[in-house]
């Protein structure tokens, strides 16, 4: 179902970075990490999600119970509580397709707020009729400012239009016990799903966080789980040489520490898969960018890119810029059939395209890019999925989650914490005067006081 092509990283005659080929010495560390993952433990609950059918069945039953009149779904959340379901949804429904598939009465349009930008939040929520909208609110902590404000705005609008029955248009996905969203669910009588406490935000796409929006869209949440389960043994049990997740992690890690290639580019060659780039950027950055236990900070810088479009921008830097890049291509096998018509064939720029499937063109562009990178000495690997179905997405997410956990272990960092992200959240709460954040308010004020207007140029 998936393939991983390592030629431009591991084949001696094609890949110049010898340091990256010496993966065998990492075998024991990878084995220890895999044993540790299989054993479970704090925040490793995501490892077991491909083996649980219950949450997907519950999500599917919930979607079946929704009234037919609900045509739109607003997904309120941010970061790990938004990027995963957004990627699954746009893989299944192309981002440029704005209407539900004809004849598919269960299919609904999903709208991801994903930010606190007033333009986005305002235009999405104002454009939806609460009477025909389901609002899915996702926040594990139950306290993230962006999501809390999205919820308050959506709730005010929905209850103004719908009165008491607004509650039937909301569903909350949060910690089973902790946090203010859980408390609010009890107060309002809103239907809830739980994010398992031992599953962190960016590792939660296979939990109700990804399953409920997928089901609400009219897609099959069980397929997401089945896809992950299909690759679980290859990713969790196989030794390094046969393990795609471990190979990806080990090669990326060696690219950084041996070859100084600490910019890890994730380049998708399918617009349906482009949101996977943002999901990958989050899990790679937030899991790996932090101090090593008792050592200096670690962390590659992930950069997502979209092929073939970014061949006309980033590629120049990748080929001839500083030799600090390592590239992961994400490709898809089955594509829609669109053929270039045979027209104006006497002109050389058009003639060679006559009758060409666009799939062949984009494939040649990806291969040409990998070749030009190889010629310039920039290593790359190519991950290919069969299609963009929920099953393929489940497999892809699980593979990349395991790769992230292994990379965390190779870098010597804890992939499950995010003190840097939390600090920013706390400072914003301090600035906004949230109760309990007085210390952060003082610190934020201190930083503000040291700013100088002389360094702000207005023109
Ligand atoms: O991975 C993480 O922990 C974060 O990116 C969170 O998902 C993000 O900050 C949103 O947090 P929450 O789900 O608590 O609203």
């Amino acid at each position: 179902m998936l393939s991983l092509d390592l030629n431009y990283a591991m084949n001696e005659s094609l890949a110049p970075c010898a340091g990256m080929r010496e993966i065998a010495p990492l075998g024991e560390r990878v084995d220890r990490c895999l044993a540790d993952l299989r054993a479970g433990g704090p925040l490793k609950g995501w490892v077991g999600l491909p083996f649980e059918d219950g949450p997907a069945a519950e999500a599917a039953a919930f979607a079946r119970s929704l009234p037919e009149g609900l045509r739109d779904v607003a997904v309120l959340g941010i970061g790990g509580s938004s990027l995963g379901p957004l990627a699954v949804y746009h893989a299944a429904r192309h981002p440029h397709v704005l209407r539900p598939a004809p004849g598919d009465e269960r299919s609904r349009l999903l709208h991801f707020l994903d930010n606190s930008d007033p333009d986005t939040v305002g235009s999405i929520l104002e454009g939806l009729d609460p009477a025909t909208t389901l609002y899915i609110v996702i926040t594990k902590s139950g306290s993230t400012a962006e999501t809390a404000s999205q919820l308050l705005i959506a709730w005010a609008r929905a209850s103004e239009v719908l009165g008491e029955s607004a509650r039937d248009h909301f569903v909350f996905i949060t910690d089973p016990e902790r946090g203010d969203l859980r408390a609010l669910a009890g107060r309002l009588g809103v239907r809830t799903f739980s994010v398992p406490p031992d599953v962190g935000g960016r590792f939660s796409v296979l939990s109700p966080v990804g399953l409920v929006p997928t089901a609400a869209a009219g897609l099959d949440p069980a397929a997401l789980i089945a896809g992950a389960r299909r690759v679980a043994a290859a990713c969790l049990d196989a030794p390094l040489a046969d393990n795609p997740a471990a190979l990806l992690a080990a090669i990326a890690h060696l690219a950084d520490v041996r070859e100084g290639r600490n910019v890890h580019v994730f380049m998708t060659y399918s617009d349906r898969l482009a949101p996977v780039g943002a999901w990958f950027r989050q899990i790679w950055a937030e899991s790996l960018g932090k101090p090593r236990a008792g050592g200096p900070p670690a962390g590659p810088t992930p950069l997502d890119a979209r092929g073939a479009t970014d061949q006309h921008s980033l590629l120049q830097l990748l080929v001839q810029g500083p030799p600090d890049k390592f590239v992961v291509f994400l490709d898809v096998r089955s594509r829609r059939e669109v053929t270039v018509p045979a027209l104006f064939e006497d002109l050389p720029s058009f003639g060679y395209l006559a009758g060409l499937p666009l799939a062949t063109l984009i494939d040649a562009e990806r291969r040409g890019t990998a070749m030009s990178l190889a010629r310039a000495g920039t290593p790359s690997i190519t991950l290919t999925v069969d299609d963009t179905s929920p099953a393929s997405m489940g497999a892809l997410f699980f593979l990349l989650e395991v790769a992230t956990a292994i990379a965390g272990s190779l870098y010597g960092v804890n992939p499950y914490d995010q003190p840097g992200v939390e600090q920013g959240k706390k400072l914003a709460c301090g600035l906004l005067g949230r109760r309990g954040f007085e210390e952060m308010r003082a610190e934020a004020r201190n930083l503000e006081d040291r700013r100088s207007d002389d360094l702000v140029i207005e023109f």
Side-chain angles (χ1 to χ4, degrees):
M1 203 159 78
L2 277 90
S3 77
L4 182 63
D5 184 339
L6 305 176
N7 265 291
Y8 291 125
M10 304 294 279
N11 181 331
E12 267 177 62
S13 68
L14 293 170
C17 298
M20 285 175 58
R21 295 197 290 269
E22 292 161 18
I23 59 164
L26 298 182
E28 260 180 48
R29 285 166 71 191
V30 167
D31 285 347
R32 273 202 302 278
C33 174
L34 291 174
D36 195 46
L37 285 180
R38 289 190 302 263
L43 287 171
K44 297 202 189 89
W46 61 271
V47 180
L49 295 177
F51 306 100
E52 287 177 25
D53 292 320
E58 217 186 312
F62 166 70
R64 279 194 301 274
S65 75
L66 290 172
E68 286 213 350
L70 288 185
R71 303 309 311 148
D72 288 287
V73 179
V75 183
L76 283 53
I78 198 161
S81 288
S82 173
L83 292 168
L86 189 153
V88 178
Y89 176 66
H90 279 307
R93 179 163 295 135
H94 194 287
H96 294 165
V97 174
L98 301 174
R99 274 177 290 279
D104 184 357
E105 69 284 356
R106 294 237 167 253
S107 102
R108 293 183 189 86
L109 287 185
L110 266 54
H111 312 266
F112 290 84
L113 273 62
D114 200 34
N115 203 349
S116 48
D117 181 339
D119 244 349
T120 310
V121 173
S123 43
I124 293 180
L125 293 180
E126 279 160 23
L128 294 172
D129 175 0
T132 56
T133 301
L134 173 73
Y135 300 87
I136 302 182
V137 186
I138 313 176
T139 163
K140 183 179 179 198
S141 62
S143 63
T144 299
E146 292 88 344
T147 313
S149 50
Q150 293 165 5
L151 162 63
L152 296 174
I153 296 165
W155 181 266
R157 185 171 151 75
S159 49
E160 191 183 297
V161 176
L162 304 171
E164 291 241 319
S165 64
R167 79 161 75 96
D168 303 329
H169 289 248
F170 278 76
V171 53
F172 293 172
I173 304 176
T174 190
D175 186 274
E177 284 173 13
R178 293 162 42 167
D180 284 348
L181 191 68
R182 176 58 61 183
L184 186 64
R187 191 188 294 180
L188 299 174
V190 163
R191 167 80 196 255
T192 61
F193 288 87
S194 295
V195 187
D198 58 355
V199 175
R202 55 193 173 276
F203 288 85
S204 67
V205 61
L206 299 175
S207 79
V209 169
L211 300 173
V212 174
T214 299
L219 302 164
D220 180 9
L224 201 59
I225 296 300
R229 190 181 297 166
R230 218 171 299 158
V231 298
C235 296
L236 290 173
D237 300 335
L240 174 57
D242 302 316
N243 183 321
L247 284 165
L248 193 157
I251 291 170
H253 172 70
L254 289 178
D256 181 355
V257 300
R258 286 276 174 76
E259 303 287 340
R261 295 182 176 275
N262 66 349
V263 179
H264 291 178
V265 183
F266 193 84
M267 193 159 185
T268 52
Y269 271 77
S270 154
D271 286 342
R272 286 174 183 267
L273 295 177
V276 180
W279 179 88
F280 175 80
R281 169 155 51 79
Q282 187 215 14
I283 200 168
W284 210 241
E286 207 172 342
S287 305
L288 305 179
K290 56 194 66 167
R292 292 185 177 90
T301 301
L303 176 64
D304 52 322
R306 189 162 69 102
T309 310
D310 288 334
Q311 285 180 216
H312 302 268
S313 65
L314 262 188
L315 187 58
Q316 170 58 35
L317 173 76
L318 303 186
V319 173
Q320 287 194 306
D324 56 359
K325 318 286 187 308
F326 162 66
V327 181
V328 179
F329 291 106
L330 178 60
D331 195 20
V332 61
R333 273 187 203 104
S334 103
R335 294 181 187 270
R336 186 183 167 142
E337 279 179 33
V338 177
T339 303
V340 183
L343 289 172
F344 317 121
E345 288 179 68
D346 56 313
L347 297 173
S349 301
F350 302 121
Y352 78 106
L353 297 173
L356 189 76
L358 272 189
T360 308
L361 174 62
I362 196 167
D363 186 53
E365 287 170 321
R366 180 191 55 74
R367 284 160 52 212
T369 301
M371 286 171 189
S372 68
L373 290 173
R375 289 181 65 193
T378 301
S380 70
I381 61 178
T382 300
L383 193 52
T384 306
V385 289
D386 271 348
D387 54 34
T388 58
S389 64
S392 292
M393 290 302 100
L396 182 60
F397 287 132
F398 194 68
L399 171 118
L400 293 173
E401 286 174 349
V402 178
T404 304
I406 296 172
S409 154
L410 296 175
Y411 275 107
V413 299
N414 172 6
Y416 306 116
D417 67 2
Q418 55 283 324
V421 169
E422 274 149 26
Q423 193 181 61
K425 285 186 181 182
K426 286 179 192 154
L427 280 165
C429 286
L431 279 171
L432 294 168
R434 180 174 167 184
R435 218 176 334 144
F437 289 78
E438 290 75 15
E439 218 172 284
M440 280 297 170
R441 183 171 181 73
E443 192 166 331
R445 281 219 172 121
N446 180 300
L447 290 169
E448 290 273 288
D449 288 347
R450 281 151 54 194
R451 289 169 48 82
S452 160
D453 285 346
D454 295 345
L455 292 172
V456 180
I457 299 152
E458 297 203 5
F459 54 97

